[in-house]
Amino acid sequence: MALHYNLEKVHAISENDTDFVLSILKVFIQDIPLDFFQMKEAIKNKEHQNAYSFAHKIKPSLDLLGMTIAYDEAICIENWSRQKGKKKEIKDTYKSLEHHLEKAIKEIKKDYNLL
């Protein structure tokens, strides 16, 4: 049972095509950790435009997988990036986003027996 993600939108666009759903999930667990890492590094290095780009890049995946809190956190990071905020202002947000991503990825891997 999915607690940290919701595949309702994925099933709707895939018309319950299991192979399509699995391909979406595989791309998510492969690409999102790297994109998040690059976003986190951009925040640490005060590279606001890069932080914005990576937050913007992961947003559609978060939305597609029904991760509303993580999606809202990505929006906060985008807004912070546009305002060229200070690292301490966004630290808790990206740590929370990291937590949500880790939980969802772990759960997806377990639920779908993905490595």
Side-chain angles (χ1 to χ4, degrees):
M1 183 172 111
L3 298 174
H4 301 286
Y5 66 96
N6 181 326
L7 296 181
E8 186 176 314
K9 289 180 182 180
V10 176
H11 287 299
I13 64 170
S14 73
E15 298 177 354
N16 292 317
D17 178 345
T18 305
D19 291 334
F20 179 78
V21 172
L22 283 174
S23 69
I24 294 289
L25 294 174
K26 286 177 184 177
V27 167
F28 182 81
I29 65 172
Q30 289 171 2
D31 292 352
I32 293 299
L34 179 59
D35 291 337
F36 177 80
F37 174 78
Q38 291 174 316
M39 182 194 72
K40 187 174 167 181
E41 288 300 304
I43 290 169
K44 286 181 183 179
N45 296 321
K46 299 178 187 175
E47 298 169 350
H48 293 92
Q49 184 57 46
N50 284 339
Y52 176 87
S53 295
F54 285 108
H56 189 73
K57 182 178 178 185
I58 67 174
K59 255 184 10 185
S61 296
L62 301 175
D63 183 44
L64 185 61
L65 269 65
M67 298 176 63
T68 53
I69 294 171
Y71 179 83
D72 291 343
E73 290 167 340
I75 290 173
C76 287
I77 292 169
E78 282 182 328
N79 292 336
W80 171 86
S81 298
R82 278 192 216 108
Q83 297 167 3
K84 297 186 181 343
K86 296 180 181 181
K87 285 190 293 186
K88 67 180 180 180
E89 297 170 341
I90 202 67
K91 185 177 181 179
D92 290 339
T93 302
Y94 78 72
K95 284 187 175 193
S96 178
L97 176 56
E98 183 174 39
H99 172 78
H100 287 103
L101 291 174
E102 287 172 353
K103 291 287 190 183
I105 289 169
K106 182 178 179 181
E107 188 174 24
I108 289 167
K109 285 179 177 181
K110 181 181 175 193
D111 291 350
Y112 290 90
N113 199 26
L114 300 172
L115 299 175

